[in-house]
Amino acid sequence: MAESSNTTATPNPATETKDGQTAKKEPVVIICIGMAGSGKTTLMQRLNSYLHSQNQPPYILNLDPAVSHMPYEANIDIRDTVDYKEVMKQYKLGPNGGILTALNLFTTKFDQVLGFVEKRAETVEPSAFPSHILIDTPGQIEIFTWSASGSIITEAIASSLPTVVAYIIDTPRTTAPATFMNNMLYACSILYKTRLPFILVFNKTDAQPHDFAIEWMQDFEAFQKALATHGRDQNGEPTYMNSLMSSMCLVLDEFYSHLRAVGVSAMTGAGMKEFFNAVEEARQEYMTDYKPELDKIAKEKASFADKKEADKQEQLEKLMKDMQAPSGGSSRGAGTEPGANPFGPHGRNDRDDAHYDAGGYEDEEEDMENDDEFGSDAERGRSFILALREDCGKLISGLCLYLPKRTLVQGGHVEPVETTWALSLVQRLEGNLDHHLVCL
């Protein structure tokens, strides 16, 4: 078989140190993503079989709650935690909504999943620890790639272990330029969404070789030639889709130049050596390029959290300091002695109404003497109100002169009235002034 001849394709998880002791090597996580029918589950079975033939059994996680049968045994299965059909029944959801909800519920316990993997790494011998962790995702690609739960799972794994994204493509269905471009756009979006090392895996090469796809990725003219033969309408004219894909091909040219692409067959096992070689290259890329960036982001987040906590503590200490009463005997501020004014910033001896705090009226006779020189407060207030009332009378006369006549229906007959809201307001003010004159 093809698997048995490639005994050096995958690295051994145990490595030798300078002291001759065996050291553990972190396993690489392979997240298999692809459209429904692309052969993800079958490829997972082939990867599992190949690694077993290399005496390196993988650690397998199944994240598809709707799968009815799996040709391999998973170490952690979402179906053991969440009942997909019960979720649909309880929350009254359809198939896609049930898968998404089941994945969200499983995500709440994903920290325990990572704990199991790390615990196994600490307890087993280096030679017995798996070199690869395989993750099978739901068939509905958008449920995992564009959901919050998918992002949480991907980021949690990538922050702990070297992680590679394998995008599975159905090669026989990609022979048309439109379908090929659709897969490339999906791959590009997933690459920039996950920001992880990426591998294009053209599956089912036993039915259709993937040479045409590699040629289209490397040669712009070859893809344009394929468009010319496929993208024509009934009159032989290029369609709008043809022009759109031609433009997109130019945009994706940079994307193709930094992409790994391999062809495999989940049915026959062909291409397994090339696939794991690409995985090892992606692992090295993760350690040199992605891991430092992830560590930098984690450090920045931790620094921001520490700074935020320090600012919060500083504000709390400042608040507690402001709430404490002053210990000095200054006349400014609120004192702690009996009779002190607890309100306002002034000491009781600094305010004009300080005699109200002590309840005394020592200066009342002096104020009465000052009233003889300028007149009493009541007389001055009466003079002011009289002057203001005279002005109101003049204003009423002016309003009555210039405002038009109006009529008001009351009790079935019409009576002429000479008023507006402004006139009514002035008249009310005049009445209030009369009231104050009476009080004085």
Side-chain angles (χ1 to χ4, degrees), residues 9-10 47 50-51 132 272-280:
T10 57
L47 296 176
Y50 177 80
L51 291 174
H132 297 83
M272 290 293 104
K273 178 180 179 180
E274 290 78 7
F275 173 77
F276 282 104
N277 287 340
V279 168
E280 184 60 24

Side-chain angles (χ1 to χ4, degrees), residues 409-422:
V409 179
Q410 293 181 351
H413 62 279
V414 179
E415 294 183 354
V417 295
E418 195 174 32
T419 182
T420 62
W421 65 272

